[in-house]
């Protein structure tokens, strides 16, 4: 799993939205890296800002639950739309 996270990081650093989203998932679940919800939100946001719907949804869940960010239901709904 650590190798997958490393490869996602290489692609994510180059701006690949799918890799950014996947890396966010790694940080959220502790797959190949230590759990770090703040870092997960950072990567989800980068991918969401590029229009990746799955990242927008996952970022919305973070805002809904207050995981890695302050809870904000209005922002969660905005991201879900």
């Amino acid at each position: 799993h650590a190798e997958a996270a490393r490869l996602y990081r290489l692609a994510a650093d180059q701006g690949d939205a799918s890799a950014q989203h996947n890396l966010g998932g790694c940080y959220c679940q502790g797959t190949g890296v230590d759990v770090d919800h703040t870092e997960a939100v950072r990567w989800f946001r980068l991918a969401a800002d590029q229009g990746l719907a799955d990242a927008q949804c996952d970022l919305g869940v973070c805002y809904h639950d207050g995981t890695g960010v302050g809870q904000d239901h209005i922002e969660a709904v905005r991201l879900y739309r």
Side-chain angles (χ1 to χ4, degrees), residues 15-33:
D16 183 280
S18 182
Q20 291 168 342
H21 176 245
N22 289 333
L23 186 58
C26 288
Y27 279 105
C28 196
Q29 299 172 354
T31 304
V33 294

Side-chain angles (χ1 to χ4, degrees), residues 2 9 17-18 20 22-23 30 33 39 43 46 49 56 63 67 69 77:
R9 179 63 179 251
S18 182
Q20 291 168 342
N22 289 333
L23 186 58
V33 294
E39 189 71 359
W43 289 109
L46 287 169
D49 287 349
Q56 292 167 341
Y63 274 101
T67 303
V69 291
V77 169

Side-chain angles (χ1 to χ4, degrees), residues 28-74:
C28 196
Q29 299 172 354
T31 304
V33 294
D34 291 337
V35 171
D36 185 336
H37 294 291
T38 302
E39 189 71 359
V41 166
R42 184 173 86 82
W43 289 109
F44 287 155
R45 186 180 321 280
L46 287 169
D49 287 349
Q50 293 187 65
L52 189 69
D54 286 342
Q56 292 167 341
C57 182
D58 286 342
L59 185 57
V61 170
C62 291
Y63 274 101
H64 178 269
D65 295 343
T67 303
V69 291
Q71 191 173 47
D72 185 339
H73 291 139
I74 293 170

